[in-house]
Structure formats: structure tokens, C-alpha cells
Amino acid sequence: MRSIPLTFCAAAAAALIAVPAPVALAAPAGDDDRRTGTVSITPSTIAPGGQVELWVDVCGKGRRAKGNSDAFTSVAHFRPADDKGLFAEARIRSDAEPRSYDVWVTCEDSDGKATGTLTVIHHNRPSPAAPVKAGGGGTATLAERSAEGQGPGTRHAVTGLVLAAVAAVAVALRSSRRRRGPAGS
């Protein structure tokens, strides 16, 4: 019986503690220039030489920012975008090592900052050592596998024997005509 009031008091205390956090987060930034946030990076996993899109909303509308990372070829300059905040594009260095890289964004007109992470991966695709089998689209490899597995069958063997027999008969007839021709004249 005493557990119900105790449970009710604990739930009320937890609710009072949890309420100020969402209220503080929901408060409009307005003039607060000391905001931090995250950078939205698309795609977040990319190969060297690729290009990523960066979005950030900690600087406010109509403001500017600069983004940097050890993976970028140069500094990314953000510009205002629709209702999503600021937008920039960045190219990944062609010699970037495969690992995770931090991305830092600093607002130019305020003290806002944002961070994010992107991952550079390498595709281990061997370069061709022989001419590439072109044509046929995706069926070229299937046709090759199909031809390797079948080989000559009974039909091919019978056809070969018939052709050999016809050739032997033709040679025999020709030989016998030559023998008769010169002796019989």
C-alpha cells in the first residue's frame, strides 16, 4: 500500500527533472550566438576523390560558415540554403587514407560551431591484366560459364564422325577414279 505513493513521488520527480531539458532545447536560438551542433554529411562513407554535401543549421539563416577536415582538398564555404540552414560541397583528397575523419564547421558571423564525421573507404578493384571481355552486358560472364561447363556432347561426336566418314568416302572415290583414269586410256 505504501509503494503506490512512493512510486507516484518518484515518477513526479523524474518528470520534473526531465522537463527542463526539452524546454531548453526547444527554445529558439534567436540571438544566442554560442550554439553547437552537428554537420550532416551526405554520403557519410565515400571513396577518395568523391564529393560530399554538407548541411549545418547552427549559424542561423542568411549567415556564412567555413568547414574543414583533413580529408578535404580545400576549405568548404557554406552558403544559405532553403529552410535547412547552410549548405556546402567538399571534395575528398585522392590520397586520403581509409579511416574516419572529423569535420569542423565554424560560423563566420557568430560563435556557432558544428562537428561531424565521415569515413573514407578504398575499393579494392584490381585493374585488368588482359583485354576486357566487352559486349553482352551482364550475360557475358554467364555465357562463358555456360560454355565451360557443357563441352562437346554426344550430338557433337556423332556429327564429327559423320563428317569424317563423308571425307573418307570422298577421298577413296577420288583415289579410285585417278587409278582408272590413266590406266584405262
Side-chain angles (χ1 to χ4, degrees):
M1 191 87 139
R2 293 184 59 125
S3 65
I4 292 175
L6 184 59
T7 305
F8 180 75
C9 288
L16 288 175
I17 291 171
V19 168
V23 171
L25 293 175
D31 296 330
D32 183 15
D33 286 344
R34 295 181 184 191
R35 298 192 312 159
T36 59
T38 58
V39 181
S40 174
I41 305 168
T42 307
S44 61
T45 302
I46 191 160
Q51 187 167 324
V52 293
E53 293 181 353
L54 308 167
W55 293 90
V56 67
D57 61 358
V58 296
C59 298
K61 292 183 180 180
R63 296 192 175 183
R64 297 180 305 171
K66 288 184 180 180
N68 204 350
S69 174
D70 292 338
F72 295 169
T73 56
S74 63
V75 175
H77 295 280
F78 286 81
R79 61 186 180 278
D82 296 336
D83 293 333
K84 297 180 182 178
L86 302 177
F87 170 78
E89 293 177 331
R91 178 136 334 256
I92 305 301
R93 290 187 354 252
S94 60
D95 62 343
E97 293 295 321
R99 65 179 177 94
S100 293
Y101 289 88
D102 291 328
V103 177
W104 306 277
V105 176
T106 305
C107 302
E108 292 182 0
D109 302 330
S110 68
D111 290 334
K113 294 181 181 185
T115 58
T117 304
L118 69 91
T119 304
V120 174
I121 59 170
H122 284 233
H123 297 289
N124 293 331
R125 294 183 187 158
S127 60
V132 178
K133 295 178 183 177
T139 62
T141 56
L142 296 175
E144 180 181 3
R145 288 182 194 152
S146 173
E148 288 174 357
Q150 290 180 353
T154 306
R155 190 178 77 195
H156 295 105
V158 170
T159 303
L161 288 174
V162 169
L163 290 174
V166 169
V169 169
V171 168
L173 288 175
R174 187 167 179 127
S175 299
S176 68
R177 284 187 186 167
R178 282 192 179 173
R179 282 188 217 152
R180 281 191 218 160
S185 27

